[in-house]
Amino acid sequence: MLSALSGFVLIGAIVAVGWALRRWAGLPAETSGLLGRVVYLVLAPCLLFTGVAEADLGVLFTRPLLVSTLAAVLCFAIFAVAFRRRDPGTRVLGALAGGYTNANYIGLPVATYVLGDATLVVPIVMLQLLIITPLALLLLEVVTTGRASWRSVLGRPARNLLIISVLLGAVVALTGARVPAVLLDPVSTLGQAAVPMILLAFGMSLSGRLLLEAGPERAPTITAVALKVAVMPAIAFLLALAAGLSREATYAVTVLAALPTAQNVFLYAQTFRTGVVLIRDAIFLSTVGCVPVMLVIAFLFSL
């Protein structure tokens, strides 16, 4: 419990610094977005490459990933059924808000500082980037335009630096190849900067938010947030028990299931011009709400 609490305190402190910088340091409004792009294009790929290159890829074919996948799919389904009378775009994006985990920007710090192993999020990252994302983009293209190009949708993962870095790391792990230190050291050093930069950028993004304005998006937003931070970890915990996972694995999948809605979903909402307010609020509220939920989970598992 104390190690988990210290991890959350560390995360909170760095987020608070980011918030204070945006609030009082006179930084431009686009600073958070620029930092996020640096993390996305350079730092996170470096971190994922080094993590995967040193990881046991057997974790991709384990019961914990199956538990995480089933928990997400059930939350997708619950939202879609609950709001079956809403427009298709809202249903798709709201479902994503309820089950698509922020495994990159918040998952990496939580896995690093709370669970003690950054590679625990790698299977979830790969699942979401390689399978869930292409399917979600295909659905959004169909419901918003009435048509879709399989080539454009399936080609997106091949242009995603996070996916490329994971795949390159997997090649190194599988082949046992040794990367020369002159190449690996800069990559490793850049990767170490990813987590604090992620948290600084997120802290900056929290400044000046107006949430849950009256309107048709309020109910689906609240539902999506409840699914993400409460229902999904509860489902993951029950599935982990049913699957006979160890106490450590059960703790990990439950904590990771409580991660907030991924910021990637906001990009999808902007791209397809639907559900923008819903996703914006869901990301913020689930990010704030996941902290007490994770603390409760850590406390219960410490008993």
Side-chain angles (χ1 to χ4, degrees), residues 51-73:
V52 175
E54 299 170 356
D56 175 10
L57 296 188
V59 299
L60 297 178
F61 308 99
T62 59
R63 289 177 294 168
L65 181 58
L66 177 60
V67 166
S68 298
T69 303
L70 289 176
V73 169

Side-chain angles (χ1 to χ4, degrees), residues 37-278:
R37 291 295 293 168
V38 171
V39 172
Y40 180 82
L41 293 173
V42 181
L43 305 184
C46 288
L47 179 61
L48 288 174
F49 170 80
T50 55
V52 175
E54 299 170 356
D56 175 10
L57 296 188
V59 299
L60 297 178
F61 308 99
T62 59
R63 289 177 294 168
L65 181 58
L66 177 60
V67 166
S68 298
T69 303
L70 289 176
V73 169
L74 287 172
C75 287
F76 293 156
I78 291 170
F79 186 94
V81 171
F83 292 92
R84 58 188 177 277
R85 292 187 173 84
R86 293 295 300 269
D87 63 280
T90 295
R91 292 176 66 194
V92 173
L93 284 165
L96 288 175
Y100 193 105
T101 294
N102 193 333
N104 295 321
Y105 299 122
I106 304 299
L108 283 173
V110 168
T112 301
Y113 297 138
V114 177
L115 300 177
D117 184 358
T119 62
L120 287 173
V121 298
V122 169
I124 297 174
V125 170
M126 295 186 70
L127 171 73
Q128 292 186 158
L129 292 179
L130 294 174
I131 298 176
I132 296 177
T133 292
L135 291 175
L137 293 175
L138 178 62
L139 284 173
L140 285 170
E141 196 164 339
V142 169
V143 301
T144 58
T145 68
R147 55 183 173 77
S149 167
W150 279 99
R151 179 177 297 179
S152 65
V153 173
L154 296 179
R156 289 177 190 265
R159 300 190 297 272
N160 190 303
L161 290 175
L162 296 176
I163 295 176
I164 293 171
S165 65
V166 167
L167 293 178
L168 289 176
V171 170
V172 173
L174 290 172
T175 62
R178 298 190 63 181
V179 181
V182 68
L183 298 177
L184 184 59
D185 288 348
V187 172
S188 177
T189 302
L190 286 169
Q192 291 171 14
V195 171
M197 286 284 280
I198 290 168
L199 296 175
L200 282 174
F202 179 70
M204 293 178 185
S205 74
L206 299 183
S207 179
R209 291 288 187 113
L210 294 176
L211 301 169
L212 292 179
E213 297 181 24
E217 304 299 335
R218 179 180 290 179
T221 299
I222 293 173
T223 302
V225 172
L227 285 170
K228 189 68 213 63
V229 302
V231 177
M232 187 169 170
I235 292 175
F237 173 73
L238 294 174
L239 289 174
L241 291 181
L245 298 186
S246 68
R247 183 179 178 84
E248 292 76 14
T250 300
Y251 175 54
V253 297
T254 304
V255 167
L256 294 177
L259 289 170
T261 303
Q263 293 174 344
N264 291 357
V265 182
F266 185 69
L267 298 178
Y268 308 154
Q270 285 183 315
T271 300
F272 294 97
R273 300 179 182 178
T274 182
V276 173
V277 173
L278 186 164

